[in-house]
């Protein structure tokens, strides 16, 4: 049972949809995106190369199974892309799975650094047409060669995961947002490029979705990490809402203070998703939408969190539901993940 009531008045997530356009553009860095986008594009290979792939069917199947097992939400998202694009996404997502697992399977910082050094070298070899002979590297190499995937995104993926290992806590919500733009959005950008989309509006949407996904993942992991004596909520929220971490480490359970902090954190994510849907997606090419559907699982989980009264310990939040697949199908048909009823409020 909860100890007391929520400490702040909550606005329903579904009511979050109206923004001051200039303020949101400034906050999300809209005006500076063009320069960053051009810089990222310079790292890509010049022109698509349609030579014979080096990966074989077992390599693709290996990546597919890895993503399906460890990143089911984004595996479901990938199913709404054409088959060749889907296989490229599986390779890159499988690489991300391996990067995330480094902190789980290594017992020392030195061992983890050696694994990250391996991936830095593997990416360098991808763009030298000399991939490391593993299923993931061969699949990513084919994606890079076929779709001219920018090396910026792959380098950033490795470097941000490595930085997270060195400094796993965040001081402010802004730090989490910055991490989401770099570590999570860089998984959506290659998907866009594989779809043939290089567009500023799609790029902005990817960054907003990356922020929301990071917040969702950190919030979802709170019960697990509290049991391990760690909390991924940013320090400023913990202080603002007077969350007693020492007590939670000893006895992880829902408290009014924790729920208030989670509510504010979740609202940041939902705002980003609505902003992307209302401002960026309508101005992006329609071909970009299969990649931007990465927003759908994040939105679905946030709404379940709201139904659980922002109690991250509610066991229903740890369960997978096929409702995500239904939401993805509906979004693909409508070209948006925001309900029409929300927009009319």
């Amino acid at each position: 049972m909860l100890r007391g009531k929520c400490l702040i008045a909550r606005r329903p997530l579904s009511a979050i949809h109206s923004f001051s356009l200039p303020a949101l553009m400034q906050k999300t860095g809209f005006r500076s995106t063009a320069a960053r986008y051009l810089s990222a594009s310079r790292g890509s290979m010049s022109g698509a190369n349609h030579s014979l792939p080096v990966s074989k069917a077992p390599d693709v199947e290996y990546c597919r199974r890895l993503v399906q097992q460890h990143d089911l939400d984004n595996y479901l998202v990938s199913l709404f892309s054409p088959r060749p694009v889907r296989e490229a996404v599986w390779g890159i997502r499988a690489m991300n799975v391996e990067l995330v697992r480094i902190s789980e399977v290594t017992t020392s910082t030195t061992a983890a650094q050696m694994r990250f050094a391996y991936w830095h070298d593997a990416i360098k070899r991808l763009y030298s047409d000399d991939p490391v002979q593993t299923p993931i590297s061969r699949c990513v190499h084919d994606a890079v060669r076929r779709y001219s995937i920018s090396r910026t995104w792959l380098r950033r993926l490795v470097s941000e995961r490595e930085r997270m290992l060195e400094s796993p806590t965040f001081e402010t919500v802004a730090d989490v947002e910055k991490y989401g733009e770099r570590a999570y959005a860089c998984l959506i950008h290659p998907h866009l490029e594989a779809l043939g989309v290089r567009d500023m509006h799609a790029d902005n949407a990817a960054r907003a979705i990356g922020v929301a996904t990071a917040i969702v993942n950190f919030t979802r992991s709170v019960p697990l990490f509290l049991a391990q004596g760690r909390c991924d909520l940013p320090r400023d929220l913990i202080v603002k809402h007077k969350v007693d971490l020492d007590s939670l480490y000893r006895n992880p359970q829902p408290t009014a203070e924790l729920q208030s902090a989670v509510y504010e954190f979740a609202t940041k994510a939902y705002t980003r998703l609505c902003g992307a849907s209302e401002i960026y997606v309508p101005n992006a090419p329609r071909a970009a939408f299969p990649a931007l559907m990465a927003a759908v699982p994040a939105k679905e989980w946030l709404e379940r969190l709201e139904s659980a009264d922002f109690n991250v310990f509610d066991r229903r939040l740890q369960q997978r539901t096929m409702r995500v697949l239904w939401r993805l199908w509906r979004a693909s048909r409508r070209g948006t993940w925001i309900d029409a009823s929300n927009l009319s409020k």
Side-chain angles (χ1 to χ4, degrees):
M1 297 293 292
L2 299 181
R3 297 188 303 179
K5 298 181 179 180
C6 180
L7 302 181
I8 58 177
R10 296 179 187 155
R11 181 186 183 192
L13 293 183
S14 59
I16 300 172
H17 62 86
S18 181
F19 304 93
S20 166
L21 181 57
L24 186 63
M25 289 173 68
Q26 181 178 8
K27 183 175 181 180
T28 58
F30 181 90
R31 293 185 174 89
S32 62
T33 297
R36 275 199 293 269
Y37 184 78
L38 291 175
S39 175
S41 298
R42 294 190 189 103
S44 63
M45 297 178 69
S46 57
N49 187 328
H50 296 291
S51 55
L52 292 176
V54 298
S55 63
K56 305 299 181 185
D59 298 332
V60 175
E61 179 63 12
Y62 175 84
C63 292
R64 187 194 71 80
R65 287 182 178 274
L66 194 64
V67 177
Q68 184 181 33
Q69 180 180 356
H70 296 280
D71 191 4
L72 179 60
D73 285 343
N74 286 297
Y75 172 76
L76 295 176
V77 171
S78 73
L79 299 181
F80 292 84
S81 293
R83 177 77 189 195
V85 173
R86 200 182 309 165
E87 293 178 356
V89 171
W90 291 341
I92 294 169
R93 289 280 178 181
M95 186 177 80
N96 179 61
V97 169
E98 290 297 320
L99 291 169
V100 172
R101 292 171 65 187
I102 288 177
S103 61
E104 300 172 0
V105 301
T106 54
T107 56
S108 69
T109 302
T110 301
Q113 290 173 340
M114 290 176 64
R115 286 178 178 257
F116 280 114
Y118 161 84
W119 281 108
H120 282 297
D121 180 66
I123 290 174
K124 185 184 300 183
R125 291 177 60 176
L126 289 175
Y127 291 86
S128 301
D129 208 26
D130 178 31
V132 176
Q133 292 305 307
T134 64
I136 294 177
S137 288
R138 287 193 290 265
C139 287
V140 176
H141 174 265
D142 285 348
V144 165
R145 190 164 55 174
R146 181 167 188 170
Y147 298 112
S148 299
I149 303 298
S150 169
R151 74 179 68 195
T152 298
W153 312 130
L154 303 186
R155 283 176 172 172
R156 185 176 294 175
L157 181 61
V158 179
S159 62
E160 289 300 317
R161 294 299 184 187
E162 185 175 18
R163 188 174 294 114
M164 185 65 177
L165 181 71
E166 298 168 354
S167 180
T169 58
F170 298 96
E171 289 298 316
T172 66
V173 173
D175 291 337
V176 177
E177 292 176 328
K178 182 178 179 180
Y179 179 74
E181 288 183 356
R182 297 179 66 85
Y184 285 87
C186 65
L187 289 163
I188 302 173
H189 290 301
H191 195 166
L192 288 169
E193 292 182 343
L195 290 166
V197 176
R198 286 171 169 80
D199 174 80
M200 185 173 66
H201 300 291
D203 187 52
N204 274 285
R207 291 170 57 227
I209 296 166
V211 170
T213 304
I215 291 174
V216 165
N217 286 349
F218 287 135
T219 306
R220 182 181 254 167
S221 66
V222 165
L224 173 64
F225 287 139
L226 282 177
Q228 299 173 359
R230 166 185 163 187
C231 182
D232 278 352
L233 294 179
R235 185 67 185 169
D236 60 348
L237 283 185
I238 292 172
V239 172
K240 177 180 178 180
H241 295 280
K242 300 179 181 179
V243 179
D244 187 347
L245 287 182
D246 291 334
S247 175
L248 288 172
Y249 291 153
R250 293 191 301 269
N251 184 23
Q253 63 177 332
T255 66
E257 294 83 2
L258 178 61
Q259 284 177 268
S260 295
V262 167
Y263 166 73
E264 182 173 343
F265 204 30
T267 300
K268 299 282 187 183
Y270 204 87
T271 301
R272 289 289 186 141
L273 294 179
C274 293
S277 181
E278 294 185 32
I279 299 172
Y280 303 132
V281 174
N283 295 299
R286 184 64 177 85
F289 197 70
L292 303 181
M293 285 169 62
V296 175
K299 178 175 178 288
E300 192 273 339
W301 192 84
L302 287 169
E303 290 172 348
R304 284 200 285 145
L305 177 66
E306 182 182 35
S307 297
D309 197 27
F310 300 93
N311 172 15
V312 292
F313 293 92
D314 192 309
R315 293 184 178 180
R316 293 172 295 177
L317 296 176
Q318 304 303 324
Q319 298 172 352
R320 297 292 180 179
T321 169
M322 291 308 293
R323 184 169 59 178
V324 173
L325 187 56
W326 156 249
R327 293 276 185 94
L328 286 166
W329 178 84
R330 187 176 63 174
S332 72
R333 301 273 293 184
R334 298 171 59 229
T336 182
W337 52 79
I338 298 298
D339 294 333
S341 58
N342 290 356
L343 299 178
S344 64
K345 292 179 181 178

